[in-house]
Amino acid sequence: MLLDTWISFFVACWIISLSPGAGAIASMSSGLNYGFRRGYWNAIGLQLALALQIGIVATGLGAVLATSELAFSVIKWFGVAYLVYLGWKQWVAPPAAMAVESGDAAHGRPWPLVMRGFVVNASNPKAIVFILAVLPQFLDPARPLLAQYLILAATMIAVDLIVMAGYTGLAARVLRLLRAPHQQRLLNRTFGGLFAAAALLLATVRRAGHATPGA
């Protein structure tokens, strides 16, 4: 892969990762609830799903998803339901659920947080369609494709890990300053509303070629 091609992709990765989305909301929510060290496991799950999505595109299955209305709809509505579920859990969480010591929580085991992040990213069919549209632009058909996919995947995941660390760490630092029950309740409901908003946005996504006018 040419260096200037990689640099262009590297810049694009930062723009993509910094754009607020369900992954960023999940990272901030995890940071608020569990502190940075535990909350960051959510970001690991996000990257596992991203690696899976890139693998799907690399094997050609992404094209099937992009053209299959049924597969697209099943994954999309599962994602909508899961985001609504996360929003409801965050909305009704008691203030005590956000009380932590030294930026860490006694609860919040790594594996459930990894799975939570994985499901948030994996249940977004738009991500696969987006990767399917973007990655080929940076591939050189005359060079080994596997090596190029590995380089692009490593770059995208590394950048997203850094960005999600920022979201998680920022939320964890804010948590230390917001100890009062009414402040914690407000944060819970704010993030519950953000999850619901993300679900609403995902519900409006249409498969490529079937977008609504103006979408």
Side-chain angles (χ1 to χ4, degrees), residues 168-182:
T168 306
L170 177 62
R173 288 183 65 85
V174 171
L175 174 60
R176 295 181 180 181
L177 303 176
L178 302 174
R179 297 288 191 175
H182 72 277

Side-chain angles (χ1 to χ4, degrees), residues 10-207:
F10 180 69
V11 173
C13 286
W14 281 97
I15 296 173
I16 295 167
S17 293
L18 287 169
S19 302
I25 295 170
S27 293
M28 289 188 287
S29 173
S30 295
L32 283 166
N33 284 306
Y34 309 114
F36 179 79
R37 285 192 298 166
R38 286 188 187 273
Y40 195 58
W41 284 103
N42 171 83
I44 303 300
L46 293 174
Q47 305 321 308
L48 290 175
L50 179 58
L52 173 64
Q53 290 165 337
I54 294 174
I56 288 174
V57 170
T59 58
L61 295 178
V64 175
L65 177 61
T67 56
S68 171
E69 185 69 40
L70 177 60
F72 189 93
S73 296
V74 168
I75 296 175
K76 182 183 80 170
W77 289 111
F78 174 77
V80 169
Y82 188 68
L83 288 172
V84 169
Y85 167 73
L86 291 179
W88 174 78
K89 283 193 66 177
Q90 191 76 47
W91 184 277
V92 301
M98 293 177 61
V100 299
E101 296 295 335
S102 301
D104 205 356
H107 56 295
R109 291 171 296 168
W111 180 243
L113 288 172
V114 170
M115 287 305 301
R116 169 177 159 166
F118 179 84
V119 174
V120 166
N121 251 6
S123 61
N124 183 2
K126 184 181 179 182
I128 295 181
V129 176
F130 179 79
I131 292 171
L132 182 63
V134 172
L135 256 62
Q137 300 180 40
F138 297 92
L139 295 172
D140 183 352
R143 298 170 182 266
L145 291 179
L146 177 58
Q148 293 182 74
Y149 270 114
L150 290 175
I151 292 172
L152 295 178
T155 301
M156 200 169 189
I157 289 172
V159 169
D160 206 52
L161 279 171
I162 294 172
V163 172
M164 293 308 139
Y167 280 126
T168 306
L170 177 62
R173 288 183 65 85
V174 171
L175 174 60
R176 295 181 180 181
L177 303 176
L178 302 174
R179 297 288 191 175
H182 72 277
Q183 293 174 324
Q184 295 177 6
R185 189 177 296 108
L186 177 61
L187 284 172
N188 277 337
R189 293 183 176 179
T190 296
F191 277 94
L194 288 174
F195 274 120
L200 181 61
L201 287 175
L202 182 58
T204 64
V205 170
R206 298 291 183 270
R207 185 166 57 86

